[in-house]
Amino acid sequence: MVDPLAGIPTDKATILRLDRSHVFHSWSAQAELPVASAEGSYFVDYDGKRYLDFSSQMVNVNIGHQHPRLVAAIRDYAAQATIIQPALANGARSEAARLICELAGPGFRSVFFTNAGAEANENAIRMARLHTGKFKVLAMYRSYHGATHGVIGVTGDQRRWGSEPYTTPGVVHFWGPYLYRSAFHSDSLEQETDRALAHLRATVMAEGGHTVSAIILEPVVGANGILVPPPGYLAGVREICDEHGILLIADEVMAGFGRCGEWFAMQHWDVTPDLITFAKGVNSGYVPLGGVIVSKPVAATFDNRMYPGGLTYQGHPLACASAIASIEIFKDERIVENARTLGSHVIGPELAKIAARHPSVGEVRGLGVFWALELVRDRATREPLVQSHGGTGASAMTAFAAACRERGLWPRTHFNRLHIAPPCTTTEAEARVGLAIVDEALAVADEYCNG
Ligand code: PLP
């Protein structure tokens, strides 16, 4: 019998040649590094070089690479059921939905499964529009909500520009809090909260609260800088929503499932949204899965009214079985707690010491296993180390990232920032190894500082 996987190439040259010829890549033009294998917090390339994955791939491998219990659960369930269409019931799907609602809290009733984060946001917005009978959506400028037709228009960063003006109508952007580069000229966290809320309130007034269906936000902004909201901000947004009958959609695609040291980042501030979108960390992407967690009132809207949306592969049994296994492993191995204490006892304090040693570090911020170093040319002026992402204008960051990679650390860099997002399972010893490499590599960034 022929092995159906026998054709998968295993040498670096063939993999890169086929990749360049036939794989149409997202955002970038090419793949840099073929990965041979991965385990725990590390992956290995075809030259045998090991990298500590401080990026969790796409900030999604929260459980670490090739967790043996998760791999076994997928293998076992594949032997039982691989595909059952969404209109039929399936045990893995039912139990995954129950478990996920339980983690979200008592106000939530059901899960609309998707294959990924963008589709989750697409459907959350559709639900909010149908539930409220209103059409506008407010989203932050510094945000990323996915790359499908509708939500690329909701996204607040430059990734939207290439799709304009053909995306969703009715989207209005506003500025969220970000004290280090405040849009409101604030000089304290309290001021930033007050001014950011006053700005949001004014935006709602100017757009007409009676036209706004939803405010969507990342509770901790991810790709746009790991922006932790100041105290009182999320509660204030909730209040504005309630005043105007607007739904609050928490996009927890990156921030959820342990990344911020809670099951969901909103729980850190004890604020309850109406809809929660998730993907990535729910099963660490071992099988693609995302979804919308729907509150009781929104779910009730569709009790006797058809919901006009669906996907062939939603609630895929293998994906749902892997979500159940992942959640159970998280509980057994206290992985959320590990992420929380790693942040508060190791990563946060060590980064503060590292920042004190390097003039290129303008700010350190984060929580759990979700941190950013904002790199600058000058601490006083806060001039960013680079003005663009990638390419010739970004040589300082390119050199810094190369210095990390040479030393065996896979970093996640974005514009002038290093994002530190290792798996939630990372041990203290591994975190210290990675932070020591960051410390060394920052000497390269320091060379680009003024003066
Ligand atoms: N929302 C947030 C906050 C994200 O970070 C991402 C992806 O990085 C998405 C949505 C889109 O998710 P996906 O790429 O799975 O569609």
Side-chain angles (χ1 to χ4, degrees):
M1 217 171 23
V2 178
D3 175 359
L5 302 181
I8 297 178
T10 53
D11 69 288
K12 184 175 169 178
T14 310
I15 294 167
L16 276 178
R17 181 175 52 76
L18 294 179
D19 180 278
R20 300 261 156 91
S21 313
H22 300 299
V23 180
F24 194 132
H25 280 277
S26 55
W27 308 119
S28 60
Q30 65 204 336
E32 300 171 15
L33 184 82
V35 173
S37 65
E39 189 182 346
S41 305
Y42 288 87
F43 64 86
V44 182
D45 72 12
Y46 277 87
D47 297 323
K49 187 171 166 76
R50 239 174 137 222
Y51 294 91
L52 183 57
D53 189 354
F54 253 31
S55 164
S56 299
Q57 300 295 293
M58 300 288 278
V59 196
N60 66 321
V61 189
N62 293 13
I63 202 166
H65 293 277
Q66 294 296 108
H67 192 295
R69 288 176 64 196
L70 187 48
V71 172
I74 295 168
R75 197 182 294 135
D76 289 353
Y77 203 75
Q80 271 187 56
T82 45
I83 179 68
I84 303 292
Q85 65 123 315
L88 304 177
N90 163 261
R93 192 182 294 143
S94 314
E95 175 60 6
R98 187 197 69 76
L99 265 178
I100 291 168
C101 286
E102 187 176 84
L103 296 176
F108 292 89
R109 195 180 98 184
S110 50
V111 177
F112 180 92
F113 285 110
T114 63
N115 304 302
E119 292 167 356
N121 287 328
E122 295 276 355
N123 281 285
I125 289 168
R126 182 184 286 148
M127 280 177 202
R129 285 177 163 161
L130 293 168
H131 175 79
T132 60
K134 305 190 274 181
F135 73 99
K136 283 184 192 162
V137 175
L138 304 194
M140 284 184 190
Y141 272 114
R142 293 186 190 91
S143 67
Y144 181 69
H145 295 293
T148 50
H149 177 82
V151 291
I152 194 68
V154 178
T155 285
D157 72 22
Q158 75 294 339
R159 281 172 282 192
R160 184 184 72 245
W161 301 345
S163 303
E164 285 174 336
Y166 308 109
T167 63
T168 322
V171 178
V172 176
H173 288 102
F174 63 96
W175 292 102
Y178 176 19
L179 184 59
Y180 190 70
R181 300 192 187 282
S182 172
F184 314 108
H185 309 287
S186 312
D187 46 33
S188 72
L189 284 173
E190 297 70 34
Q191 225 173 46
E192 186 70 355
T193 298
D194 291 348
R195 292 180 181 183
L197 288 173
H199 160 69
L200 178 56
R201 205 176 283 282
T203 307
V204 171
M205 296 304 270
E207 292 298 329
H210 64 289
T211 70
V212 180
S213 62
I215 295 176
I216 181 167
L217 51 78
E218 298 169 73
V220 174
V221 173
N224 280 272
I226 325 259
L227 308 177
V228 181
Y233 180 72
L234 293 174
V237 176
R238 177 74 270 180
E239 259 177 52
I240 294 171
C241 287
D242 291 343
E243 283 164 25
H244 297 274
I246 296 169
L247 296 194
L248 178 55
I249 304 174
D251 177 346
E252 297 256 7
V253 169
M254 196 179 269
F257 285 96
R259 177 74 34 211
C260 295
E262 302 287 342
W263 283 103
F264 294 104
M266 292 294 272
Q267 292 164 344
H268 192 82
W269 292 275
D270 214 8
V271 174
T272 307
D274 300 288
L275 298 165
I276 300 173
T277 56
F278 67 91
K280 299 188 186 271
V282 62
N283 62 353
S284 294
Y286 282 34
V287 184
L289 184 68
V292 187
I293 316 176
V294 188
S295 63
K296 288 174 181 167
V298 180
T301 294
F302 301 101
D303 278 344
N304 300 306
R305 174 179 172 188
M306 187 197 69
Y307 175 68
L311 303 155
T312 297
Y313 299 131
Q314 74 182 125
H316 192 282
L318 264 190
C320 288
S322 67
I324 297 167
S326 180
I327 291 167
E328 295 302 349
I329 295 165
F330 260 63
K331 289 179 180 170
D332 274 7
E333 299 182 3
R334 300 182 60 77
I335 293 173
V336 174
E337 292 80 353
N338 184 61
R340 189 185 309 144
T341 47
L342 209 54
S344 58
H345 288 70
V346 182
I347 304 178
E350 282 307 311
L351 286 179
K353 288 186 217 158
I354 288 172
R357 287 194 281 272
H358 295 281
S360 58
V361 180
E363 187 179 61
V364 171
R365 51 178 181 259
L367 76 176
V369 282
F370 208 27
W371 292 81
L373 294 187
E374 179 124 15
L375 303 187
V376 293
R377 282 183 190 266
D378 185 323
R379 275 189 178 160
T381 62
R382 302 185 179 181
E383 180 193 345
L385 193 67
V386 297
Q387 298 290 348
S388 64
H389 182 64
T392 46
S395 53
M397 286 306 284
T398 310
F400 166 68
C404 291
R405 287 197 289 265
E406 272 160 28
R407 290 164 175 80
L409 180 92
W410 193 260
R412 188 165 191 84
T413 54
H414 202 229
F415 281 91
N416 66 320
R417 300 178 306 267
L418 169 69
H419 292 183
I420 294 179
C424 304
T425 46
T426 302
T427 64
E428 176 173 342
E430 289 167 342
R432 288 193 189 280
V433 167
L435 292 168
I437 294 175
V438 169
D439 193 8
E440 265 184 54
L442 279 169
V444 172
D446 292 342
E447 286 169 21
Y448 291 84
C449 288
N450 297 337

